[in-house]
Amino acid sequence: MTFHPKGSLSLASEREGLLCLSLSLTMCKAGDFERCDYRTEWKMGYKVLSNVEKLKNSVLRMNSWLLIMRAIVTALVWASAVQLIGIWLIRGPRVFKVWPPCNQLDLHVASELPRLPIPVFPPKRVYKNNGYLMVSCNGGLNQMRAAICDMVAIARYMNVTLIVPELDKNSFWAASEFQDIFDVNHFIRSLRDEVRILKQLPPKLNNRPAYSLPPVSWSNISYYLHQILPLVRKYKVVHLNKTDARVANNGLPLEIQKLRCRVNFHGLRFTSQIEETGRKLVRILREKGPFLVLHLRYEMDMLSFSGCSHGCNSDEVEELNTMRYANPLWKEKDIDSELKRVEGLCPLTPEETTLVLVALGIDHNVQIYIAAGEIYGGDRRLEGLKSAFPNVVRKETLLDPSDLRFFPNHSSQMAALDYLVSLESDIFVPTYDGNMAKVVEGHRRFLGFKKTILLNRRLLIGLIDQFTIGSLSWDEFSSIVKEAHADRMGSPKKRVSIVDKPKEEDYFYSNPHECLQLLDEPLRTT
């Protein structure tokens, strides 16, 4: 019997019924016509037709069940494939090179920046959203880096949604966009189990004015709970237009301190372009042996801002003063350069730095990588350093111009390269305790208390002046310098906390001891 498509079932059934009837009539004609009962033959024909319909319905039901079973099997196969991929993502990356725990780091041999494995991001945290927090960071790269960590922790504590921070474009350093420096997708996904982060406000809030204010400096958690959170609930969108040092160093819940560390050491990853270039710099340096990173903070903007002009000629002093008075963002104008220097508040000059490095016994053949912008005074001011240490290099001398073609006129991106190289150096020596010096110091502690020489500038200036006028011999000068810095090498210690004087106490990001895997040496306070 022929099987017909659904659309032709009734037509086919009619045809087959007529065929049955025709056969019955033929049988009647062949036999005794008078004895033939037409009603009986009609019943026989429709009985056959009924059986045909039942058979076809059974076939259709069987086909439907086959389709359902096929769909179920397909879904199970895909689900199994997804599970296998998930297991590989969790287990597989362990065979690749990753950051070792602090207590397994070799402190004597710094390794090249590792290639990061495929990340496995945590599940999203579900919470009732109290509103949206927008922040505008101010200052240089590392000041903004610390501020971002603070704002993530505050957003988490207030149960709000954080909008990706806006970087400073108005200061001297003219930062780039967030996504030009940091991996924004990694930032959002790696922290999603703590706080919800969006690249921009939802469209429904675009036309809603945000309540804008600068938070109080060095504030504790209660300030954000009782002052800022009610504003978020009332206005739904709050904009913090200043973020430098707006969270206290001490007296915060341990969970908040650890979250600040997590953002700093794991959530803030530079773009792949910056990371790759940084790895290349480290590889070039490593191929030639150990290297010391000298954060020689002697650029024009630093000297003008701080009012420190020791060692500059009269034309340079005038140029620095003119620049400071012309910048409306720099509030302090009339500065006594020599008084600040004697108090240890100025960066060391290149000449002073050379004396200190030699006095400390730094190997003359070591590579010295200068992590800084253009040194004020140019090669003239670096002659003494290059004479004492012939292997002075910079990123511009190690890389081809094509390697830096993406970074010209982007000071924050160039600073990011210096940051990566500073983390990997055998020794890190900052000549001024600015934001980069502090944040790198803390990051090197996290990586295993790597050697960081923290210069006592106030003491050194007095010693240098005595040596210069002949009051101290070289041997006496060198001996005192070594002894004074024997316990200033980045070893484990607790932060110094000074009640009601946060500017004078140790900066959280220079020594986040709550987050560090300590070595055998006990914590101490100095």
Side-chain angles (χ1 to χ4, degrees):
M1 184 176 292
T2 306
F3 180 75
H4 299 278
K6 184 177 179 181
S8 58
L9 277 177
S10 59
L11 181 60
S13 299
E14 291 178 3
R15 288 177 178 174
E16 289 175 358
L18 292 174
L19 176 60
C20 292
L21 179 59
S22 176
L23 288 173
S24 300
L25 292 174
T26 303
M27 291 173 59
C28 288
K29 290 179 181 179
D32 189 353
F33 184 79
E34 293 180 356
R35 295 180 179 179
C36 186
D37 188 349
Y38 291 103
R39 287 177 297 178
T40 301
E41 300 305 328
W42 274 99
K43 288 180 181 180
M44 290 177 60
Y46 277 103
K47 186 176 182 180
V48 172
L49 177 60
S50 177
N51 290 336
V52 170
E53 289 293 335
K54 289 180 181 179
L55 178 60
K56 289 181 179 179
N57 290 335
S58 176
V59 171
L60 287 175
R61 283 194 298 272
M62 185 177 298
N63 286 340
S64 298
W65 278 109
L66 286 174
L67 289 174
I68 293 171
M69 292 300 295
R70 183 180 297 176
I72 293 173
V73 171
T74 302
L76 289 173
V77 170
W78 277 106
S80 300
V82 171
Q83 290 292 331
L84 289 173
I85 292 172
I87 293 172
W88 184 89
L89 287 174
I90 295 173
R91 301 291 182 183
R94 294 184 181 180
V95 303
F96 296 101
K97 185 177 180 182
V98 297
W99 285 110
C102 295
N103 59 355
Q104 295 180 10
L105 285 172
D106 184 352
L107 304 184
H108 303 289
V109 181
S111 60
E112 180 186 345
L113 282 169
R115 292 182 179 274
L116 296 170
I118 298 174
V120 179
F121 297 114
K124 295 180 180 179
R125 172 174 169 254
V126 179
Y127 60 96
K128 180 182 178 182
N129 180 34
N130 287 319
Y132 297 84
L133 183 66
M134 302 176 66
V135 296
S136 294
C137 301
N138 55 298
L141 173 64
N142 293 286
Q143 180 172 305
M144 293 190 292
R145 182 187 184 101
I148 292 167
C149 300
D150 290 344
M151 293 301 107
V152 170
I154 292 304
R156 166 64 176 85
Y157 182 79
M158 296 194 301
N159 281 331
V160 300
T161 296
L162 178 67
I163 306 303
V164 170
E166 178 188 22
L167 302 189
D168 192 351
K169 302 181 188 64
N170 299 319
S171 70
F172 177 88
W173 296 275
S176 307
E177 299 288 348
F178 187 99
Q179 62 270 19
D180 295 330
I181 301 175
F182 299 109
D183 184 337
V184 64
N185 291 324
H186 176 82
F187 175 67
I188 293 172
R189 294 170 184 168
S190 66
L191 299 169
R192 65 187 183 184
D193 62 327
E194 294 285 356
V195 64
R196 183 186 182 209
I197 305 175
L198 301 178
K199 293 182 180 179
Q200 56 189 9
L201 281 172
K204 64 180 181 180
L205 297 174
N206 282 340
N207 297 324
R208 185 167 186 158
Y211 186 89
S212 183
L213 78 159
V216 176
S217 298
W218 311 110
S219 295
N220 56 27
I221 289 300
S222 64
Y223 166 79
Y224 287 94
L225 176 64
H226 300 296
Q227 301 295 324
I228 303 300
L229 182 56
L231 294 175
V232 176
R233 286 173 171 159
K234 180 178 180 180
Y235 296 98
K236 293 304 177 185
V237 182
V238 167
H239 174 219
L240 302 182
N241 52 35
K242 295 285 184 181
T243 57
D244 56 314
R246 304 293 158 157
V247 178
N249 292 312
N250 302 295
L252 302 179
L254 182 60
E255 293 76 12
I256 294 296
Q257 301 290 56
K258 289 187 174 182
L259 180 54
R260 295 166 88 181
C261 292
R262 179 181 170 187
V263 180
N264 190 20
F265 303 138
H266 300 293
L268 287 176
R269 179 188 295 176
F270 293 120
T271 64
S272 59
Q273 193 175 77
I274 293 174
E275 293 274 351
E276 288 292 336
T277 308
R279 274 191 284 268
K280 185 172 183 178
L281 277 169
V282 172
R283 184 171 62 251
I284 293 171
L285 288 163
R286 276 275 165 253
E287 289 172 352
K288 299 178 181 179
F291 66 97
L292 176 152
V293 167
L294 179 63
H295 184 39
L296 187 58
R297 200 71 172 92
Y298 206 75
E299 303 97 333
M300 182 179 182
D301 64 285
M302 182 68 230
L303 300 179
S304 177
F305 172 76
S306 64
C308 297
S309 55
H310 182 77
C312 299
N313 58 41
S314 58
D315 291 337
E316 290 171 336
V317 172
E318 183 178 354
E319 183 180 35
L320 294 173
N321 288 336
T322 300
M323 180 181 183
R324 182 170 65 257
Y325 278 93
N327 193 319
L329 298 177
W330 297 348
K331 304 302 181 184
E332 193 175 5
K333 303 298 183 182
D334 188 14
I335 301 174
D336 187 333
S337 175
E338 287 305 312
L339 179 60
K340 287 194 70 172
R341 175 179 176 271
V342 171
E343 292 178 346
L345 301 177
C346 286
L348 296 181
T349 68
E351 295 82 5
E352 292 167 345
T353 302
T354 303
L355 280 176
V356 173
L357 293 179
V358 175
L360 286 168
I362 301 297
D363 186 350
H364 291 272
N365 295 315
V366 74
Q367 299 174 92
I368 293 185
Y369 175 95
I370 296 180
E374 184 178 354
I375 301 303
Y376 192 57
D379 291 337
R380 172 178 62 85
R381 301 302 300 271
L382 293 174
E383 287 177 357
L385 180 64
K386 291 181 178 180
S387 176
F389 300 95
N391 298 317
V392 174
V393 297
R394 304 171 60 92
K395 52 186 168 293
E396 293 86 355
T397 62
L398 293 174
L399 297 174
D400 294 329
S402 60
D403 293 322
L404 296 172
R405 66 186 183 277
F406 298 109
F407 307 127
N409 302 320
H410 290 280
S411 59
S412 291
Q413 293 175 336
M414 297 290 267
L417 292 177
D418 286 341
Y419 186 95
L420 291 173
V421 179
S422 297
L423 292 183
E424 293 300 306
S425 64
D426 297 278
I427 305 174
F428 176 64
V429 183
T431 62
Y432 185 70
D433 55 355
N435 288 290
M436 176 171 174
K438 292 176 180 178
V439 177
V440 169
E441 176 193 347
H443 205 150
R444 286 173 66 85
R445 288 178 183 274
F446 175 77
L447 294 177
F449 302 98
K450 301 171 79 171
K451 190 173 183 179
T452 302
I453 303 178
L454 306 172
L455 301 178
N456 185 337
R457 293 190 308 281
R458 185 170 185 171
L459 172 68
L460 287 172
I461 292 302
L463 293 174
I464 290 171
D465 288 346
Q466 291 181 59
F467 171 73
T468 302
I469 64 177
S471 298
L472 286 176
S473 67
W474 174 257
D475 289 341
E476 291 173 326
F477 173 73
S478 178
S479 176
I480 297 173
V481 170
K482 288 178 181 176
E483 183 179 354
H485 291 85
D487 62 347
R488 298 175 66 90
M489 300 288 179
S491 56
K493 67 173 184 177
K494 286 187 177 180
R495 287 191 309 277
V496 174
S497 176
I498 305 176
V499 179
D500 298 328
K501 294 184 179 180
K503 291 185 178 180
E504 299 179 21
E505 64 184 10
D506 288 345
Y507 188 42
F508 172 80
Y509 291 100
S510 67
N511 183 18
H513 66 249
E514 299 92 334
C515 314
L516 306 181
Q517 178 68 47
L518 300 179
L519 304 181
D520 294 334
E521 183 178 353
L523 281 175
R524 54 188 172 79
T525 301
T526 58

